[in-house]
Amino acid sequence: MAKILIVDDDALLVRMYQKKLENDGYIVAAADDGETALQRVQEFKPDLILLDIMMPKVNGLQVLAILKEDKETESIPVILLTNVGGSDEDVNRGLELGAVAYLVKAGNRPSAVVAKVKEILSGYVRDLPKVKVG
């Protein structure tokens, strides 16, 4: 099953998304700041990242820029998570940097986030090894 990295400094929100995603069969890891997120990406090798914009140490837009500049991580789809008060400028900048979508935290139930994860992953199926039959 696909591996999801949740990057957010709101521990309650992380636990909520983590539980919902794991219940739907995903393997989930978490990071509570951008610096930790960049380390986890290298270790965990996620298939998709849910990334908060406003975080300590290294913010989500900085993380996204670093990921998209690296050949090893540039193809990982990233969904930005924003607060209701998040600026349109940040969202637009995130999409320009290569995020595939953005979700407003308060405006989406966990089931809606999981639905978006499934939708995006279905479009990012990595090449599977060929199996010889017979």
Side-chain angles (χ1 to χ4, degrees):
M1 188 45 99
K3 298 193 299 187
I4 312 294
L5 177 64
I6 303 170
V7 184
D8 200 306
D9 57 338
D10 181 336
L12 181 62
L13 186 100
V14 169
R15 282 193 305 271
M16 179 181 66
Y17 284 139
Q18 188 167 9
K19 183 174 182 173
K20 179 65 177 152
L21 288 162
E22 286 173 346
N23 286 343
D24 279 25
Y26 293 100
I27 301 164
V28 182
D32 60 2
D33 63 61
E35 195 173 272
T36 304
L38 291 169
Q39 294 168 354
R40 291 264 160 78
V41 167
Q42 297 304 318
E43 301 160 2
F44 184 62
K45 308 238 184 280
D47 296 300
L48 182 138
I49 300 169
L50 289 170
L51 180 63
D52 186 18
I53 293 176
M54 300 295 292
M55 287 186 302
K57 296 184 182 178
V58 180
N59 74 39
L61 294 177
Q62 293 167 319
V63 169
L64 180 60
I66 291 166
L67 292 173
K68 294 304 177 182
E69 289 172 0
D70 185 335
K71 293 286 182 209
E72 295 284 316
T73 58
E74 69 182 357
S75 65
I76 300 170
V78 176
I79 300 173
L80 293 176
L81 296 173
T82 65
N83 287 315
V84 175
S87 77
D88 289 341
E89 185 178 311
D90 283 346
V91 170
N92 289 335
R93 178 76 180 124
L95 295 173
E96 287 171 8
L97 287 170
V100 295
Y102 74 93
L103 299 172
V104 176
K105 292 179 194 180
N108 288 282
R109 295 185 326 228
S111 58
V113 173
V114 172
K116 187 59 143 178
V117 165
K118 288 179 182 177
E119 173 190 329
I120 289 169
L121 284 175
S122 70
Y124 283 84
V125 177
R126 294 185 177 166
D127 290 335
L128 299 174
K130 304 284 186 249
V131 178
K132 188 173 182 178
V133 179

